[in-house]
Structure formats: structure tokens, C-alpha cells
Amino acid sequence: MSTIGRSGPAGREGLGGAAHPAVERWLREHGDDLIGWRRHIHANPELSRAEYATTEFVESWLVKAGFEPLKLPTGTGLICDIGPAGERIALRADMDALPLQEFTGRPFASSVPGVSHACGHDAHTAILLGSAMALAEVGELPTGVRLIFQHAEEVMPGGAIDMVAAGAMEGVSRVFAVHCDPRLEAGRFGVRVGAITSAADTVELVLDSPGGHTSRPHLTSDLVYAIGTVITGLPGLLSRRIDPRTSTVMVWGAVSAGKAPNAIPQTGMLTGTVRTGDHATWELLEPMVREIVDGLLAPTGVRYQLNYKRGVPPVVNDEHCTRVFEDAILALGPDALSDTPQSGGGEDFSWYLEEVPGAMARLGVWSGAGPQLDIHQPTFDLDERALAAGVRVMTNLALHAG
């Protein structure tokens, strides 16, 4: 059952707001379509780089509206220009699902075993598609708009890199996106100037030594001791080498070595992540990690191989673009705008911001009652009133951000 019209926090019925009259008319006439699109995508999730049916679904509706979408050669992801030629703003949505079994029990729950839209990308896609259809009813737009329906956000390297390589940012002056946030009530949006997500890199350390008996550690290289030195030493030394105001954190997620209590093992492995909210710090992290690991392990005599995998940069919201976002949100009413903290998670929207200024906002999807169901969990669900709110803000951006 649709949640549109259900009483929200503080008695806010329906979350109505101020958008262009043609957009409001479209929402009144096609609100059920908007919900239906989200539910169709939700029930038919596709993993990263396999979003063929989702891409075709979006493409078919854009063609029906008279647009000329351009599908990437891989068959996943598409770009669609609307409005006058010339310099454009871009609006982006991601389309891929996660390899998680869904446990919401909804009538439109995932029909694909082990795959679900547990991050809200179905909502992002429906909102951008709805925004395109609503803008088609507005008439002549004040500026050109590029719609980016991106594949493969949940993997590295992500689809944003493919989109940029395909020319998605050519002729674009600024770029905007929203992302579901279950900590905010539906109809509210969280913004902040500066970093809103973090860079997320992966550190894998493979160690080996001759091994030996635990009664004679002086005759070999004690691999477990060496691992322990790195486990505590690397995060500790990073915290002393990097400004704490950059929100940099190193955390190990897995460690393995040995089986017998009286045998020093020959091989071991450590894996973890290092995250930062500061772009300049992100550039320094890999050489710094390599330097510290080498210094920690040199006295132990243990050999090692360090595999450092760079992830995505932090999403750093441009100040002017953030103010534009705030204006688009405030048109819905003063209660629609909220502050939001920086997240330690990564988001490949950041690759677009390597090309042009832009901003991402948090899209409230909590009903205001009951638990706040977190993203990347099998129970994640959202209040569908957020869809119309998202269309209002995205169309406001299209009409006023030029």
C-alpha cells in the first residue's frame, strides 16, 4: 500500500510542497505511476554492471515522453539531455542493487534471490525519471539539463568513472544528486557544505616468514607478533601523522594467521579500510601507509606484500551548489531543510565532482514512527512520500540552478 497521504511527523499530511505548477499537476495525476516505477524496479533488482532491464525500463519511459536518451555501449547506464542546448546542469541517479537477501515482507519485495535494493537506488531512479516526466510538462526550461542514470555505484571501480569517460560531464557546469537517509523523516533533506561522505580505501597486507616453534622465536621471524605490531601501530601512527579534523580513520576488518598454539605460522593476512573526509589527505594516504608499514615490519624480519586499493574520493559539496540546493529544498517549506553529519561511507558521485562543482543532499525516507531501518540491511524500507518530495526538489534545481 502506498504511504502517500499518511500522516507524518508533527501532523504533516501528504508532505505537499512548492514546486512549479506543472510539476505539482504532474504529481497529482501521476503520483501512482511514480510509486509504481519504484516498486517495479524494487521487485526486479539488478547487480552492478548488470542493470540491463532497469536501463531499458528507464529508456522506454523517456522515449515515450519524447526524449532521446543515449544508452552506454555496455547496455547499462544512460544519459538524456532535455531543455535548450548549451551549458547544462546535471542530475544523477544510481540504479544498481546489492547482493543481499531482502527480508521486508513487502508485496513488491525483490523477486531475485540474494539481490535487493537495500540502499534506495530504486527510489533515486524513480525520482529522476519522475523529474524528467514532470519537466516535460513545464514547457521551455530556463537551462539545459542532463539526466544521468548511472550503473554500478556499489562496486569499485564504479560506474561514475564510465559515465565521465563517456562524456557525461561535457558541457555541464554543475551536478546534483540525492541519497536516501533513514535518519531523516520523509519530506526533509539534509545538506552540508564540504565533505558529506568519505574517501574509502582498502588495505590488504600479506605476510610470510620461515615459521617455527613457539619455544624458539629467536630463531625465526615471529609473524603473529609482526601482525600485532601492524594492527595497533598503523592506526595509531596515522592518528599522529594526520590532522584529526580531517575525520581520517583506519580500522582492520579481518585478520588470519596460524592454527596451532605452539607453532609460529608461515603466512598471515590483514585487511581493513582507511577513510578520510579530506581530499588532500586522501592523496597522501597510500604513500604514508606504505612508509609506516615498512617501518613497523623492518625490525621483525617478516616479509610482506602491501596491496593498497584506492577507492573513491570524498564527496565534497561546493558551497555555492549547496546554497542552490538549500533554496530548492526551502521552496517546500522551512521544515524541509536539515543539517546532516559527514558520513564515513564512500559514494562514487565524488568522481563527477572531480570534473565540475556540485552537491549531494540526504533524502529523508523515515516515516517518523517506528525504527529507522538502515541502508545496506536486508530490512531496509522507505516511506514512499519521499518520492514526490524528491521530484519537487530535483525539478526545482532544474528550473532555478542555471
Side-chain angles (χ1 to χ4, degrees):
M1 178 179 293
S2 169
T3 57
I4 284 184
R6 189 177 68 202
S7 177
R12 294 182 296 128
E13 293 287 344
L15 300 177
H20 190 283
V23 173
E24 292 296 341
R25 183 172 61 251
W26 186 89
L27 285 170
R28 287 193 301 271
E29 296 174 357
H30 298 282
D32 288 343
D33 293 335
L34 181 64
I35 293 171
W37 295 337
R38 181 256 164 171
R39 293 183 178 187
H40 170 82
I41 297 168
H42 189 91
N44 299 278
E46 295 175 297
L47 292 173
S48 302
R49 305 195 186 281
E51 310 92 332
Y52 301 105
T54 306
T55 300
E56 291 177 2
F57 178 80
V58 171
E59 180 184 36
S60 67
W61 280 102
L62 291 173
V63 169
K64 287 179 184 177
F67 300 130
E68 298 179 355
L70 177 64
K71 189 188 301 182
L72 266 64
T74 56
T76 62
L78 61 84
I79 300 167
C80 184
D81 287 346
I82 65 176
E87 192 174 82
R88 301 178 176 276
I89 70 160
L91 305 176
R92 174 267 204 173
D94 39 15
M95 302 189 296
D96 53 332
L98 286 162
L100 286 174
Q101 183 69 38
E102 181 173 348
F103 294 126
T104 64
R106 302 285 272 173
F108 50 87
S110 172
S111 62
V112 183
V115 182
S116 67
H117 273 291
C119 197
H121 294 188
D122 53 335
H124 303 167
T125 302
I127 287 169
L128 189 56
L129 180 57
S131 298
M133 306 303 249
L135 289 170
E137 303 297 317
V138 169
E140 185 174 350
L141 301 181
T143 189
V145 177
R146 177 162 296 156
L147 310 171
I148 300 175
F149 291 89
Q150 183 201 309
H151 59 300
E153 190 279 328
E154 295 288 0
V155 295
M156 291 189 293
I161 295 175
D162 303 335
M163 285 291 183
V164 171
M169 291 294 101
E170 293 177 6
V172 169
S173 61
R174 58 195 71 174
V175 59
F176 301 92
V178 296
H179 194 292
C180 290
D181 187 345
R183 297 166 298 181
L184 286 173
E185 301 150 1
R188 304 194 76 197
F189 296 79
V191 299
R192 65 180 284 119
V193 175
I196 193 170
T197 71
S198 299
D201 297 347
T202 300
V203 178
E204 180 186 78
L205 187 64
V206 181
L207 305 98
D208 74 275
S209 80
H213 199 286
T214 57
S215 67
R216 295 180 288 276
H218 58 293
L219 299 181
T220 186
S221 299
D222 190 340
L223 184 137
V224 172
Y225 178 84
I227 287 178
T229 300
V230 177
I231 286 176
T232 58
L234 180 56
L237 286 170
L238 282 175
S239 73
R240 295 303 183 270
R241 295 278 299 274
I242 295 174
D243 189 332
R245 292 172 295 182
T246 63
S247 300
T248 302
V249 59
M250 163 80 214
V251 178
W252 298 109
V255 56
S256 62
K259 294 182 179 179
N262 60 347
I264 296 173
Q266 294 178 303
T267 60
M269 180 181 287
L270 270 174
T271 56
T273 61
V274 57
R275 303 171 185 270
T276 184
D278 182 72
H279 199 288
T281 300
W282 183 59
E283 298 289 346
L284 299 173
L285 279 174
E286 181 176 358
M288 189 178 295
V289 166
R290 292 188 179 278
E291 175 194 342
I292 292 172
V293 168
D294 190 69
L296 289 169
L297 290 178
T300 71
V302 171
R303 297 179 296 270
Y304 74 91
Q305 178 180 330
L306 176 60
N307 302 315
Y308 191 102
K309 301 175 184 177
R310 296 192 83 199
V312 295
V315 172
V316 181
N317 284 346
D318 172 74
E319 182 172 4
H320 174 71
C321 292
T322 303
R323 302 308 176 204
V324 171
F325 230 138
E326 289 176 349
D327 290 342
I329 294 164
L330 284 169
L332 278 63
D335 292 338
L337 184 63
S338 172
D339 293 330
T340 190
Q342 180 190 354
S343 166
E347 229 289 353
D348 80 349
F349 180 72
S350 54
W351 289 119
Y352 301 111
L353 302 184
E354 297 287 293
E355 307 294 322
V356 300
M360 169 174 278
R362 303 293 186 193
L363 170 74
V365 296
W366 179 43
S367 67
Q372 295 172 316
L373 302 168
D374 203 2
I375 58 174
H376 285 230
Q377 297 292 325
T379 55
F380 173 70
D381 200 2
L382 56 85
D383 186 330
E384 289 176 321
R385 293 178 300 173
L387 302 177
V391 168
R392 289 185 175 100
V393 168
M394 294 296 259
T395 54
N396 283 346
L397 286 169
L399 295 171
H400 301 292

